[in-house]
Amino acid sequence: QVQLVESGGGLVQPGGSLRLSCAPSGRIFDIRAMGWYRQTPGKQRDLVAAVTRGGSTNYADSVKGRFTVSRDNAKNTVYLQMTSLKPEDTAVYYCNAAMRITLTQPWEDYWGQGTQVTVSS
């Protein structure tokens, strides 16, 4: 079964940078929008940034000017470049994508397993 696989999380000091990556684990037919969400204990999962197939982007106000979302359509990969990280960016980051695995299957929403980002000195 195809899953979204994330990488790039970790521990970083305030002001530092990290780059997250996410791609399907196997072959798929098509992907629409891809994006990143984050969640802290006891809170809902919130949108961080998203990018359409055509490259249009959308960001949460809290990360505008610091985070950049991008995608490589040839590799079906979405990236999140995070700079000027703050302790309040600490969360589990989840990749999300609308995918169709084969031509005959419907579009479905897929989530990655989550990757921990911790910003602390």
Side-chain angles (χ1 to χ4, degrees):
Q1 184 168 345
V2 175
Q3 301 175 341
L4 289 173
V5 180
E6 301 137 337
S7 61
L11 173 64
V12 64
Q13 293 186 341
S17 299
L18 279 177
R19 188 193 196 208
L20 306 182
S21 301
C22 171
S25 59
R27 294 185 66 178
I28 62 161
F29 181 72
D30 203 359
I31 297 182
R32 288 177 175 166
M34 302 182 79
W36 295 91
Y37 288 70
R38 66 186 180 187
Q39 189 172 25
T40 54
K43 295 190 176 181
Q44 67 179 22
R45 191 174 297 183
D46 292 325
L47 174 70
V48 176
V51 56
T52 67
R53 188 159 42 194
S56 296
T57 57
N58 182 37
Y59 294 93
D61 288 342
S62 60
V63 306
K64 285 180 180 177
R66 300 188 298 120
F67 291 10
T68 302
V69 63
S70 61
R71 63 190 284 172
D72 183 333
N73 289 331
K75 297 180 180 179
N76 293 325
T77 301
V78 63
Y79 306 96
L80 185 67
Q81 180 67 51
M82 304 183 290
T83 63
S84 301
L85 282 160
K86 305 174 181 180
E88 51 263 43
D89 294 317
T90 296
V92 178
Y93 284 69
Y94 295 90
C95 175
N96 171 261
M99 301 194 300
R100 189 164 51 165
I101 306 303
T102 67
L103 177 61
T104 58
Q105 288 183 268
W107 289 96
E108 291 187 60
D109 217 24
Y110 287 79
W111 292 91
Q113 79 284 358
T115 185
Q116 177 70 45
V117 171
T118 302
V119 184
S120 175
S121 55

